[in-house]
Amino acid sequence: MIQTQKIKTIKELSELTKTMDKFGNEIVFERASEGYDYNKNTRLDVLIIGEAPGYDEVRIGKPFVGRSGKLLEEWLKLLEIKNFVITNVSKSHPIDPITKKNRRPDIDEIEYWKPILYKEIELLNPKHILCLGDTSYRTLTNSSESITKVIKTEQKFYYEGIPIFVYFHPSYILRNGNYDWKPDILSLNRRFNQKEGQIRL
Ligand code: URA
């Protein structure tokens, strides 16, 4: 397993990540909201965690820059989050060997990338985490509850004391073309802004 104990900064973590080529695919690390300065002491508001980069992300070198990313940008406007970082569970691009299409990371890939994700959370120390989709939600919560139920009941989890909110992956919403996500996102906005203790668990 990859050792991250000596890593002290996001820059060092990003450099380590680029050397991790076990799966032979291209690697994409994280991206921050405009104006977010890693070197200032402002606490990060939200760390958004998706699944894995796809072809668009590899081409641009940043997470969520394709169709899913466009939808995520719409959500971010409604969420009114000041500063955020967007990342993925798997930093490498999983490709189906036969169809060459994007695919979900498998269990080995998820396990391989876990120490990097955990270190990323430790270094960024966000006020909130937003897990987008099943892979991210299950990696951080170990919950076996269906993601739909978790979202509908506004269930909240914690990772090392950091509140975790869960929502559908943008690609899932895109596949279900007429799903009205706006009320869900507005409700997420409200929940982000609620003080601990007032939130419905
Ligand atoms: N889907 C993801 O989960 N992550 C990306 O970066 C792009 C699409």
Side-chain angles (χ1 to χ4, degrees):
M1 193 165 74
I2 195 84
Q3 298 303 318
T4 59
Q5 288 91 329
K6 291 203 179 112
I7 300 285
K8 295 276 177 282
T9 64
I10 282 290
K11 191 161 182 286
E12 284 170 18
L13 190 65
S14 156
E15 269 149 26
L16 171 66
T17 300
K18 283 183 209 141
T19 68
M20 293 174 61
D21 55 0
K22 178 173 171 197
F23 297 102
N25 293 334
E26 279 160 291
I27 287 165
V28 174
F29 192 52
E30 60 176 46
R31 71 174 164 103
S33 52
E34 222 171 286
Y36 179 68
D37 185 345
Y38 285 97
N39 300 314
K40 280 207 181 129
N41 284 330
T42 339
R43 187 159 176 213
L44 183 68
D45 286 324
V46 186
L47 175 63
I48 299 163
I49 308 174
E51 187 174 83
Y55 282 104
D56 290 325
E57 287 67 34
V58 164
R59 188 167 45 81
I60 311 267
K62 290 179 181 170
F64 281 100
V65 291
R67 280 185 74 220
S68 292
K70 294 231 159 51
L71 182 54
L72 177 57
E73 293 297 335
E74 286 186 53
W75 296 353
L76 286 167
K77 275 185 220 139
L78 282 183
L79 287 172
E80 303 171 301
I81 306 166
K82 251 197 276 111
N83 60 55
F84 55 84
V85 166
I86 304 177
T87 194
N88 285 302
V89 171
S90 165
K91 312 303 190 221
S92 59
H93 175 202
I95 305 170
D96 185 295
I98 296 165
T99 64
K100 303 289 175 211
K101 287 192 175 156
N102 296 332
R103 61 161 173 81
R104 282 187 164 202
D106 63 29
I107 192 76
D108 289 346
E109 288 162 322
I110 292 170
E111 287 301 317
Y112 179 68
W113 287 111
K114 264 183 186 174
I116 296 294
L117 182 65
Y118 296 158
K119 193 71 191 186
E120 214 174 353
I121 298 172
E122 181 194 317
L123 293 172
L124 291 168
N125 186 27
K127 287 185 205 158
H128 306 288
I129 291 173
L130 174 59
C131 289
L132 295 178
D134 230 54
T135 300
S136 163
Y137 150 61
R138 292 198 197 282
T139 301
L140 280 190
T141 67
N142 293 319
S143 164
S144 54
E145 194 64 84
S146 93
I147 187 167
T148 307
K149 186 158 179 211
V150 164
I151 294 166
K152 290 298 162 211
T153 55
E154 300 195 342
Q155 212 175 321
K156 200 171 79 166
F157 300 84
Y158 289 87
Y159 173 83
E160 304 276 327
I162 303 169
I164 299 182
F165 298 85
V166 178
Y167 196 55
F168 294 118
H169 193 285
S171 67
Y172 172 82
I173 301 284
L174 288 169
R175 282 198 302 275
N176 291 272
N178 41 25
Y179 182 82
D180 183 13
W181 46 262
K182 207 165 176 179
D184 296 346
I185 299 295
L186 290 173
S187 146
L188 255 185
N189 176 325
R190 176 180 51 76
R191 292 167 68 214
F192 274 138
N193 289 306
Q194 262 168 336
K195 294 211 170 50
E196 279 299 287
Q198 296 180 315
I199 294 172
R200 177 147 54 105
L201 292 173

